[in-house]
Amino acid sequence: MPPNVTSAPNGIQYEDETMDPLIPSIEKYDGYPKQLPGKEYKRELVWRNIILFAYLHLAALYGAYLMLTAASWPTVIWAIVLYHFSGWGITAGAHRLWAHRSYKANLPLRMILVLFNTLAFENHVIEWARDHRVHHKFSETNADPHNANRGFFFSHIGWLLCRKHPDVISKGKGIEMSDLENDPLLKFQRKYYLILMPIVCFVVPTVIPVYLWGETWTNAWFVATLFRYTFTLNMTWLVNSAAHMWGQRPYDKFINPSENLSVAVGALGEGWHNYHHTFPWDYKTAELGNYRANFTTAFIDFFAKIGWAYELKTVSEEMVRRRVQRTGDGTHEKYSHSHKG
Ligand code: ST9
Ligand code: ZN
Ligand code: ZN
């Protein structure tokens, strides 16, 4: 165990502000300038994506209407279950396990998470994690794929509708990715993504309601598949948009990411974004250990109980307190000066 790490009853606590020593090139903001003098950049729209996302959102609205008026109960429950499964594929999988390596998982759990992740169709894990590592390291600069300084729309969905800023790609090339690029399971997902993803995200979720409980094809397609997929996408994107704009900043008032309860509810615990950008290696992505709007922490803790998840990394209370008092905006319930005593 490296010297800056101690074990604790609930996992591993990092005692200084370093990240996983195995991936030293990510996580830590390195003073890259907020406004780059860099190359001239001209936004280039990608019409294929604009048309597909426009269809998806119109279809999802129709799906929401059918959900309220025509779909059977099992179909509605199926859509909710798939939202949670695909959500965990992003939160517990792509985000906390792979992009941040905030805990370890055995092979069966990693297989479940790859399956759930494929159901979410947010690109394969290696691509998702690379963009996310660049996002943390170069947050709110041109090298951040969904740079929130370019406004709500860009950070929410606009970044998927145009070519990437050249800085995203050039800075992205310097990000350490060998841990994920050498993972056989992730290589398998990447290699067969264009076969697996349509089956897992679109075909199976539609076919099951029709054959198992006699749902119509229309309800199955628009409710369980297109509405569920679009809803999960938007809950994810709110972390990049809303949680980079609105909310309190009890841990670091010098960054945009904020504590946003509404986003945390919709994104299964990923709305505590000021904490997460301050302590990105914490598997809870939040300070509070009581599952407050954090279904993903409950998911990981369950698997830790049965031994499938292990080496959960956390942050010591003392370190949080010191950081709150040094850089917080004064809204922390327990440690802020205004609430002292
Ligand atoms: C989606 C992703 O929705 C959502 C991610 C959200 C992240 C949220 C994080 C928040 C925290 C976690 C919260 C979770 C909450 C979950 C709640 C759940 C309830 N570095 O990409 P290309 C290279 S996806 C280095 O074509 P363009 C690349 O390798 C939705 N290199 O760029 C390639 O090289 P080569 C479904 C990079 O042409 C070349 O550049 N998916 C990097 O600019 C070109 O790559 C879609 O809709 C990098 N970072 O196109 C697909 N990036 O040629 C959308 C790229 O050598 N994507 N490279 O292979 C696209 O269509 C395109 O990527 C594009 C840009 C049009 C957006
Ligand atoms: Zn993150
Ligand atoms: Zn962020």
Side-chain angles (χ1 to χ4, degrees):
M1 195 173 282
N4 59 335
V5 172
T6 55
S7 62
N10 56 348
I12 296 178
Q13 294 183 344
Y14 277 64
E15 293 301 337
D16 64 23
E17 297 182 34
T18 60
M19 74 308 278
D20 184 340
L22 289 172
I23 39 175
S25 92
I26 65 163
E27 311 273 16
K28 209 164 185 174
Y29 179 68
D30 73 346
Y32 193 60
K34 291 269 170 200
Q35 289 305 327
L36 291 174
K39 300 165 237 42
E40 266 304 303
Y41 162 73
K42 202 170 167 305
R43 190 182 54 208
E44 193 190 326
L45 298 179
V46 176
W47 284 99
R48 182 201 61 179
N49 289 11
I50 294 172
I51 290 163
L52 286 175
F53 277 119
Y55 168 73
L56 200 59
H57 282 77
L58 289 174
L61 283 179
Y62 183 51
Y65 167 76
L66 290 178
M67 189 168 79
L68 297 172
T69 57
S72 65
W73 274 111
T75 304
V76 175
I77 293 166
W78 174 236
I80 295 171
V81 167
L82 291 177
Y83 152 63
H84 284 86
F85 284 1
S86 60
W88 284 322
I90 299 298
T91 59
H95 191 218
R96 302 189 196 184
L97 177 65
W98 285 300
H100 290 294
R101 304 167 56 112
S102 67
Y103 68 99
K104 291 193 173 135
N106 68 3
L107 184 62
L109 178 54
R110 280 187 281 128
M111 286 167 70
I112 291 171
L113 288 172
V114 162
L115 181 71
F116 285 0
N117 181 269
T118 309
L119 172 66
F121 177 24
E122 290 192 9
N123 302 329
H124 55 72
V125 169
I126 294 174
E127 181 171 351
W128 195 104
R130 181 190 56 192
D131 275 348
H132 192 65
R133 287 178 178 185
V134 196
H135 164 66
H136 271 267
K137 185 159 184 177
F138 301 107
S139 223
E140 256 82 76
T141 72
N142 286 335
D144 177 347
H146 28 83
N147 178 5
N149 284 338
R150 291 177 67 181
F152 184 93
F153 186 80
F154 179 83
S155 57
H156 193 76
I157 183 176
W159 67 285
L160 292 165
L161 308 179
C162 58
R163 301 262 164 238
K164 285 174 168 162
H165 193 288
D167 291 346
V168 173
I169 293 167
S170 64
K171 289 290 164 187
K173 295 213 187 299
I175 293 284
E176 179 60 58
M177 287 297 297
S178 57
D179 54 327
L180 307 184
E181 271 162 359
N182 293 324
D183 181 320
L185 196 57
L186 299 185
K187 284 202 298 200
F188 174 84
Q189 190 208 27
R190 178 172 64 181
K191 185 163 176 196
Y192 296 107
Y193 196 66
L194 291 180
I195 299 166
L196 296 173
M197 176 276 290
I199 296 171
V200 178
C201 178
F202 296 103
V203 177
V204 174
T206 309
V207 166
I208 285 191
V210 173
Y211 286 100
L212 258 55
W213 55 87
E215 183 55 278
T216 64
W217 285 104
T218 306
N219 287 345
W221 174 244
F222 285 102
V223 177
T225 298
L226 295 189
F227 174 73
R228 174 266 314 167
Y229 172 51
T230 313
F231 181 80
T232 310
L233 279 181
N234 278 277
M235 291 305 117
T236 309
W237 297 338
L238 281 172
V239 179
N240 297 335
S241 53
H244 268 258
M245 289 176 187
W246 305 307
Q248 296 175 329
R249 298 180 176 86
Y251 308 97
D252 192 338
K253 65 182 172 194
F254 301 106
I255 58 177
N256 287 348
S258 308
E259 302 286 279
N260 190 309
L261 172 66
S262 312
V263 176
V265 172
L268 308 180
E270 300 281 16
W272 311 112
H273 216 48
N274 190 257
Y275 182 90
H276 175 56
H277 271 262
T278 311
F279 304 109
W281 61 86
D282 190 325
Y283 86 98
K284 303 190 296 320
T285 74
E287 179 184 356
L288 300 164
N290 59 3
Y291 305 143
R292 192 171 69 160
N294 205 334
F295 262 11
T296 303
T297 301
F299 176 92
I300 298 170
D301 282 350
F302 167 77
F303 281 102
K305 270 216 169 63
I306 63 169
W308 289 23
Y310 53 100
E311 291 188 28
L312 279 44
K313 291 179 200 156
T314 61
V315 179
S316 70
E317 276 184 45
E318 177 52 21
M319 184 170 159
V320 173
R321 187 187 61 74
R322 283 201 312 267
R323 184 63 186 258
V324 164
Q325 292 180 344
R326 190 157 57 82
T327 57
D329 68 356
T331 58
H332 194 280
E333 286 169 13
K334 210 161 133 197
Y335 303 137
S336 285
H337 294 298
S338 49
H339 296 89
K340 239 183 180 175

